[in-house]
Each structure stands twice: as C-alpha cells, then as structure tokens.
Amino acid sequence: MNTVRHRACHASATLTRSLRIPSRWRTISTNHFIHREKDAVVPDSGFTFAVKDNIATAGHPTTCASAFLRDYESPFEATVVRQLRERGGVFVGKTNMDEFGMGSHSLNSAHGPVLNPKFDDVPRSAGGSSGGSAVAVRLGDADVALGTDTGGSIRLPAAYTGVVGYKPSYGMISRRGVVPYANSLDTVGFLARDVKPIYDLVIDGGLIHEHDELDPTSLTSQSRRRCSPGGDRRPPKLEEHFRNPSEITIGIPQDYRIAELHPSILAAWAAAEDALRKWGARVVPVRLPSTQVALPAYYVLAPAEASSNLAKYDGVRYGSRAEGGDTDASGEVLYSRTRGDNFGREVRRRILMGTYSLSSEAMDNYFVQAQRVRRLVQRDFDRVFARPNPLRDEEPFDLSDLEDGWELENKRGPAQVDFLLCPTAPTFPPRVEDVRTQGPVDSYMNDVFTVPASLAGLPAISVPVPAGNGMEEGGGVAGLQVLGQFWDDARVLGIAHQLSRLMPVV
Ligand code: GLN
C-alpha cells in the first residue's frame, strides 16, 4: 500500500502539493473508508480519488452507510466517477458518511462513526455528511474526494478537517448514479487539500461544460453556454484571475454575526476581510435578512423530499427485508417492520418530519411557507450580486420594500458585490461525546451558514484559514466560505485560491 501511496503522491504532483501528515494523526482509528481498493496503480499523469458511498461505483457495494443497503451493488457506475476516470483518476475507495447524507457529523452511519484525524486528545467530529471523504483527503489517502452537498455536507466536513470543500452550482455535475436525498437541493462536489486539483477538473478539465442526458437535473448544453459569463472564451488559469483586485467587491453579510459564532472564528473572518482589503479588493457590508430563516426552511424542505425519496425502500424491490417481516399478509406490516429495523434513528426522524409537513393539515403552514422562504433567500442573493442570475429575470425592486437597516450603497439600492465571505460553521469541531448528548436541533444549527447557498443553488466553497489556538479551537484552523452568483464557479474557485494564498495555514 505504501508503495502505491508513494507512487500516487508522486504521480499527482501536478494536481496537489506534497502531503505531509504528522504521524500521530494516524494513531486514531478514523473509520473513513467503507471499502478500500487493495491494488490501485496510479499512472504517472494520474491522480487518486475516493468516492462517498452514496455515489455508485460498479463492482463494490454502494450502501449509503445504511443497514438497508448493506449488500446493494449498483449495476452501473455514476457518470461523475466515469468522468474522473477519463481524466486520469484512479479510484481508491468508498468513504463513510451519515446514512443517506442525513447528518452534520458523520456519526449516523451503519458502519460506525468517522473521527477527525486532526485531534488525538478526545474524539471529535469530522463534520458530515461527507466526513469520510474529507478525512481521506486530509490524510492523503486520496488527492481528490467526491462528496455530496444538500445543505452543507461537503463544506462542513472540509471546515472541520482543514481541507477545501466545493459545492458547485446546482445542475452542473451529473447526479446520475447518486442516491438522492432531496432532489431540489442535491449537488455532487469535490474535496481536496487545495483549490488547484478541483479547478483542474471542473474548469480546466471541462466538467463545467458536460451535460448528462441521463440526469434530468443536469443543465442542458445550451443553458450552460448561456450561463457562462465569458461565453465560449477559455476561462483563465487559476492564478490568472483578478489581475486587478480593485475591480472586485466582496460583501460581508452582517446577518451572519450571530451570537453563537465562536469569537475566534469571528476574528479569523475579520482577518480575512483585512487581508482582502490590503490585497486591493473592495470589501463592503451587505444584508441578507431572509437567510436568518433559511435554516428552518431547509429543515422542512429537505426532510419532505427525503421522505418521498426513501419511500421506495420497502424490502421488496430495494433494501434488505426484516426477519419475519414477510409473515404477515398485510403489506403495511411488512413495510413498517422492515423500515423500522433498517433505517437509523435520524433517517426515521427525517421521514416522520417530512411525512408530517407534507400531510394535508400541515402542508400550508410548513411546506408552502418554507418554499416561500426559499424564494426570499434567492431574492436576497440576487439583490446583492452584481451579476444577474442567468436563470431568472432581473427583478426590479422598490426601495420601500427593503427593511430598515439594509446597508444602501446609494439611492439605487444595496451594495452590489462579486462574492460573499462568511464562516462555514459557527463553531469549531465539537467533541463526539457532546454531539451524542445534544438534541437534533443543536446538530442542525451547524448548517446555519451553509444552507442559504443550497436553497439558492449557488456555488460555495470552504477554505481553511488560521484561527484560534489549541485543540478546543480547531487545532488553529477554521473554514471560511466564499459564495458567488449562479454559474460563476470559475471565479469563486479563483477567489478561494486567492484567499488561501493570503491566509495560508502553516
Ligand atoms: N446536515 C444537513 C442535513 O442533515 C446537510 C446534509 C447534506 O448536505 N447532505 O440535512
């Protein structure tokens, strides 16, 4: 394995800088792989990649970390896995996760919890639900890892483990072969130690242009061309973005200064603001008031979609059947026994929440209201971004429609920005023991800064920056998040790269 690993690192020198992992990080059992390839051979121009276990790979089980799918083998491979192989990728394993992507700590897994390798004092959360993918790149077991992000599942584990995690614009990367959680929010994205290998695949490697006719949510080739800010022009190399930093404006959402935000993360955010200003960018305060209600809206919409997606796991067509579950002639007993035995606690909770909010007596008060909030969140973003949203007509707005307290740039309205900068998570990685004693709502709180971009389908990336001190403060690292307008992914990756150069983690 070491030789293979060594060769893999060597071969991928163009993709990622060398990986120096302190040996003590290897002493705890991180449990990040569900399946690991034994003899992966990496050609000179290749790179290694790990795949979250809700993305189908042929020849290995795809379990979604659920007891329900413990023996499930997909008859085909996900499009995105094929796309990585075509670009020189060598598959190294399937990574552990929260069951069906539901969770923020990768503790809700039928394969046992994932632990964060950055800490050897006490077991701490690696973030979720793509925790296994984040740990795989953190430890150098893969140059790139595929994850899925419905409400923050790539960005949160990236922030907790100190790697880069990128959620593309909705509809960019094919979801064919990806087990759905909440269809209107699900995206496939990438984790790596730097921005560069991600840029190499998505922008230079052309994934941004590849429509997949087998995925009904994949943006058509025509729309992709229409959405591309530079038209068909070749996008610049990663280092070539922003030759003149004074031309870009970065917005700091004031509504994200919540009481729960850890003071050291607040300080790191302020330091990033200073660094970007010194670099020459314009940095301005902005307001995104509806994003304050984005979290509850997300936790109505995502479980509603999940409850309908998971209805097919009945032990008849999909999933393993409970012992004795088929002795009763009534279908309902068969299903409920099988579903009760095989789904984990959190998944059962989501199914119940979703079924409730879609029920006729609750629909108007929950599901319909949450859809309204989703539109307001999208509108907040469209108001502050200088670039129009290529999917929506520009909405003229009335100043009287803005609440008191909006920061107005001039009489024309709120400040117009290219990017938004905010923390990825309000706190540092919590102790596993503390998460286990928390209620579900405390766990949901971790997603407060990540769900707004998901509801609006926008590109967002978490970058590690220096922050705080010691084990209780993330081992000195926190994640900051950059968001951009729909399909402005190349520039979002460009500014993230710039931010990691301005604030290197040593
Ligand atoms: N933590 C969020 C949830 O449990 C996000 C999960 C995800 O993005 N897959 O729904």
Side-chain angles (χ1 to χ4, degrees):
M1 181 60 214
N2 278 344
T3 352
V4 171
R5 181 65 241 148
H6 176 76
R7 247 185 293 150
C9 284
H10 174 71
S12 60
T14 52
L15 264 168
T16 184
R17 64 168 190 256
S18 67
L19 310 164
R20 254 171 272 118
I21 311 295
S23 53
R24 65 185 177 84
W25 287 357
R26 294 224 175 239
T27 55
I28 63 163
S29 166
T30 47
N31 194 28
H32 54 295
F33 276 118
I34 288 173
H35 161 87
R36 198 161 181 176
E37 288 289 271
K38 293 213 175 47
D39 7 78
V41 179
V42 186
D44 277 354
S45 58
F47 65 96
T48 53
F49 70 95
V51 178
K52 186 176 179 181
D53 202 38
N54 57 350
I55 302 177
T57 44
H60 331 90
T62 296
T63 71
C64 297
S66 179
F68 228 125
L69 294 179
R70 59 186 156 249
D71 304 316
Y72 177 70
E73 262 195 43
S74 165
F76 62 89
E77 189 157 83
T79 301
V80 64
V81 173
R82 169 178 57 73
Q83 289 170 319
L84 293 200
R85 290 190 202 278
E86 285 168 358
R87 286 162 176 77
V90 174
F91 167 73
V92 292
K94 297 301 289 284
T95 56
N96 202 354
M97 56 182 281
D98 284 301
E99 184 176 5
F100 287 105
M102 296 173 198
S104 305
H105 300 287
S106 299
L107 302 176
N108 307 330
S109 165
H111 306 282
V114 178
L115 297 183
N116 194 325
K118 274 178 65 189
F119 307 95
D120 58 4
D121 57 340
V122 288
R124 283 176 203 266
S125 165
S129 64
S130 313
S133 288
V135 174
V137 295
R138 168 84 250 174
L139 292 178
D141 293 329
D143 298 319
V144 176
L146 286 176
T148 55
D149 191 310
T150 303
S153 275
I154 288 179
R155 292 161 284 159
L156 187 65
Y160 280 3
T161 57
V163 303
V164 172
Y166 159 62
K167 173 199 111 65
S169 293
Y170 180 83
M172 179 188 291
I173 304 295
S174 168
R175 276 170 27 199
R176 155 92 173 159
V178 181
V179 180
Y181 161 11
N183 298 41
S184 76
L185 298 154
D186 289 342
T187 57
V188 176
F190 305 85
L191 297 107
R193 289 174 67 93
D194 301 295
V195 179
K196 175 110 175 64
I198 301 176
Y199 197 86
D200 286 349
L201 286 167
V202 178
I203 309 298
D204 285 343
L207 288 177
I208 188 169
H209 303 302
E210 286 193 15
H211 164 67
D212 181 6
E213 59 184 23
L214 298 172
D215 169 8
T217 63
S218 168
L219 210 68
T220 62
S221 302
Q222 197 192 4
S223 302
R224 284 173 198 252
R225 273 194 300 277
R226 193 167 50 81
C227 290
S228 299
D232 282 341
R233 238 180 322 119
R234 196 185 62 77
K237 291 272 159 218
L238 181 58
E239 306 72 26
E240 290 167 5
H241 282 279
F242 321 118
R243 290 209 181 272
N244 183 1
S246 66
E247 284 173 3
I248 62 164
T249 306
I250 295 165
I252 307 292
Q254 301 303 301
D255 313 81
Y256 288 38
R257 293 177 194 277
I258 55 174
E260 294 80 0
L261 183 59
H262 191 291
S264 296
I265 298 181
L266 179 66
W269 186 20
E273 200 179 317
D274 277 353
L276 287 161
R277 215 174 257 133
K278 285 208 188 90
W279 173 57
R282 211 170 138 246
V283 183
V284 298
V286 292
R287 294 284 323 271
L288 298 168
S290 301
T291 58
Q292 291 175 32
V293 275
L295 189 67
Y298 171 86
Y299 274 98
V300 170
L301 296 172
E305 293 190 33
S307 68
S308 112
N309 273 322
L310 295 178
K312 62 175 171 281
Y313 299 100
D314 51 16
V316 178
R317 213 155 35 102
Y318 276 108
S320 2
R321 187 174 299 187
E323 288 274 310
D326 51 354
T327 51
D328 200 296
S330 147
E332 285 209 2
V333 171
L334 161 66
Y335 298 162
S336 54
R337 177 83 162 267
T338 299
R339 287 164 68 81
D341 283 4
N342 283 303
F343 284 135
R345 242 173 108 85
E346 185 59 29
V347 172
R348 291 203 301 270
R349 179 180 296 120
R350 304 288 179 105
I351 293 173
L352 291 175
M353 290 195 316
T355 314
Y356 174 70
S357 67
L358 289 176
S359 65
S360 54
E361 73 268 32
M363 179 97 169
D364 285 350
N365 282 338
Y366 290 90
F367 190 74
V368 172
Q369 294 296 348
Q371 292 284 25
R372 283 205 184 110
V373 170
R374 184 174 192 172
R375 273 196 300 280
L376 293 177
V377 170
Q378 290 166 343
R379 198 179 67 168
D380 272 7
F381 281 124
D382 286 345
R383 275 177 177 170
V384 300
F385 282 127
R387 289 197 173 183
N389 188 320
L391 295 185
R392 279 189 281 278
D393 291 335
E394 254 180 281
E395 232 185 278
F397 66 82
D398 188 351
L399 289 184
S400 63
D401 183 33
L402 300 179
E403 288 171 10
D404 291 348
W406 263 86
E407 304 271 347
L408 293 188
E409 167 110 281
N410 50 42
K411 292 228 170 71
R412 280 182 295 120
Q416 298 263 292
V417 304
D418 297 280
F419 309 106
L420 294 165
L421 177 75
C422 64
T424 307
T427 65
F428 290 106
R431 297 171 179 226
V432 167
E433 179 192 319
D434 294 341
V435 176
R436 290 228 159 98
T437 51
Q438 274 176 353
V441 175
D442 295 312
S443 253
Y444 303 164
M445 260 307 292
N446 288 283
D447 306 330
V448 65
F449 297 143
T450 51
V451 298
S454 301
L455 289 175
L458 302 179
I461 183 166
S462 177
V463 179
V465 299
N469 266 310
M471 294 299 181
E472 290 299 330
E473 299 202 342
V477 180
L480 289 185
Q481 192 184 197
V482 179
L483 279 67
Q485 180 55 288
F486 186 77
W487 220 260
D488 204 2
D489 295 56
R491 296 200 318 152
V492 166
L493 290 162
I495 195 78
H497 174 70
Q498 204 44 253
L499 180 62
S500 46
R501 284 185 16 171
L502 294 170
M503 299 191 73
V505 176
V506 280

